[in-house]
Amino acid sequence: MENKRNPTIYRFLTLALYFGDACFTPFFSLYFASQPGLSTLEVAILLALVPFSFFAGNIFYSIFETSWKRNVFLIRLISILEAVFLIALAYSRSFFLLLPTTILAAFHNSCMFGLIDGMGAGSAKRRNIPFSLIRIMGSIGYITASIFAFFFMDKIGYTWMFTISATIIFLCFPISFLLVPFKGDEFVKRVELTEAFNVEKKPFFKNLNLWLFLIFSALYYGGLNNYNYIVPIFMEQQGLTPGQTAIWTVVRVSVEMVIMLLLPFFTKLFKGNKNTLITACAFGLMALLFNAVLSNFQAILWLTFISRGLGYGF
């Protein structure tokens, strides 16, 4: 039986993780571009390595996610490593120091979201409560951290902001000790999972749906990462400071949070996940069109970040 306090602990873990992430992830491109010794090519290489390291870290750590106790151990281990590599990144200036620290910080970043969200979702299901009550803490954390960055980023700089991020993410380590061990078989065997979802077994190279999904993922996440890196630099070129760019993240995440809360209603309205996915892609395309067509900078910001929030929420 799941202990009744565990969902609350997952809320605190989610809050700490998302708050810490919001203190450095949105500033990757601005941080690299601010280094006087880096060429445009070197900045591009570093930014290209970030999503690749995200992906590699998820694949690597998923191999070891075999039990509740193992997952809790991974949360503790990764929170320590992420904090160490983030501080190392904060004090790196040359390309040859930024190269390994960027890879290692990104490698240990994305996998934490899957771990905590997955365990939180399982806990919510066993306690028969909506997972959104746990996940909403992530949006609150992101909004709070972005407001914090708006007021203090320009005063304390990247080094201290990244150090604060590392400290907050490290809090996942002591918080995880408050979790009460789950007694029971939390993980379904792969064979049972395949049967439960009626997954059709096909050879890898003959599975058209899998290839279409891989192509879609490559195009979607590749475009999304490029967009997220270019927009802050564009905003800075228009006269905004790094701290001022953070307040627009508040706009996006606030819209995203509202959509997440209303998502069950929209899923029924659109009659299935495919239509919801199409809607999300349409809002993302709207953001690109707004940037390309509109000439008023304030209008671009408002419409772009609202439409991105709608797309992220769906």
Side-chain angles (χ1 to χ4, degrees):
M1 182 65 180
E2 181 80 13
N3 189 280
K4 62 181 180 180
R5 85 176 184 192
N6 275 358
T8 301
I9 305 305
Y10 286 119
R11 290 187 183 99
F12 283 111
L13 286 170
T14 302
L15 179 66
L17 177 62
Y18 280 78
F19 186 103
D21 182 76
C23 287
F24 84 95
T25 299
F27 304 108
F28 261 132
S29 58
L30 293 175
Y31 176 61
F32 295 147
S34 70
Q35 303 304 317
L38 295 184
S39 66
T40 303
L41 177 60
E42 289 171 336
V43 171
I45 291 173
L46 291 172
L47 290 175
L49 287 171
V50 172
F52 176 80
S53 301
F54 284 164
F55 174 77
N58 276 312
I59 294 297
F60 176 79
Y61 279 109
S62 66
I63 299 172
F64 305 100
E65 297 172 16
T66 56
S67 68
W68 188 91
K69 289 184 179 179
R70 179 70 62 85
N71 283 9
V72 173
F73 172 78
L74 289 176
I75 289 174
R76 294 168 184 169
L77 174 65
I78 296 171
S79 62
I80 295 173
L81 294 175
E82 175 71 348
V84 170
F85 294 134
L86 264 179
I87 293 175
L89 176 65
Y91 287 90
S92 298
R93 297 294 181 265
S94 69
F95 177 72
F96 292 103
L97 285 177
L98 285 168
L99 191 65
T101 53
T102 298
I103 292 173
L104 291 170
F107 187 88
H108 294 89
N109 175 255
S110 182
C111 52
M112 277 281 281
F113 289 88
L115 269 171
I116 292 177
D117 283 352
M119 295 178 70
S123 178
K125 183 178 180 180
R126 290 187 293 273
R127 294 298 305 176
N128 196 28
I129 62 174
F131 173 60
S132 59
L133 295 179
I134 296 176
R135 177 58 182 79
I136 199 70
M137 297 302 294
S139 297
I140 293 173
Y142 229 85
I143 290 173
T144 307
S146 298
I147 295 174
F148 174 82
F150 173 72
F151 285 106
F152 296 104
M153 178 68 184
D154 299 327
K155 297 178 182 179
I156 65 178
Y158 295 107
T159 299
W160 277 106
M161 183 61 70
F162 287 12
T163 303
I164 291 171
S165 170
T167 304
I168 299 299
I169 290 177
F170 175 77
L171 290 179
C172 291
F173 176 79
I175 292 173
S176 68
F177 284 94
L178 300 175
L179 289 168
V180 178
F182 171 71
K183 298 179 181 180
D185 187 11
E186 182 183 7
F187 295 90
V188 184
K189 295 179 181 179
R190 290 186 179 182
V191 175
E192 296 173 348
L193 192 63
T194 300
E195 293 175 351
F197 286 93
N198 195 25
V199 177
E200 185 179 359
K201 296 180 181 179
K202 289 183 179 180
F204 179 78
F205 291 103
K206 294 183 179 181
N207 194 332
L208 179 60
N209 289 333
L210 176 60
W211 279 102
L212 290 174
F213 176 76
L214 290 175
I215 293 171
F216 169 81
S217 297
L219 293 174
Y220 175 76
Y221 288 105
L224 184 65
N225 279 286
N226 284 330
Y227 189 83
N228 288 338
Y229 297 149
I230 292 171
V231 167
I233 294 177
F234 168 72
M235 294 168 70
E236 191 176 47
Q237 290 175 344
Q238 298 301 313
L240 270 65
T241 66
Q244 289 171 336
T245 64
I247 202 65
W248 291 99
T249 301
V250 176
V251 175
R252 175 182 65 79
V253 179
S254 297
V255 174
E256 175 188 343
M257 184 169 61
V258 172
I259 294 299
M260 285 175 57
L261 293 174
L262 298 176
L263 193 58
F265 167 76
F266 284 115
T267 302
K268 294 179 181 179
L269 180 66
F270 295 132
K271 297 180 181 179
N273 293 328
K274 288 184 178 180
N275 290 335
T276 307
L277 180 62
I278 293 172
T279 305
C281 293
F283 282 122
L285 181 61
M286 282 172 56
L288 294 175
L289 291 175
F290 288 143
N291 275 352
V293 175
L294 296 176
S295 57
N296 184 285
F297 182 55
Q298 287 295 323
I300 288 175
L301 290 180
W302 279 108
L303 293 175
T304 295
F305 279 86
I306 289 175
S307 58
R308 286 174 68 196
L310 290 169
Y312 278 36
F314 281 109

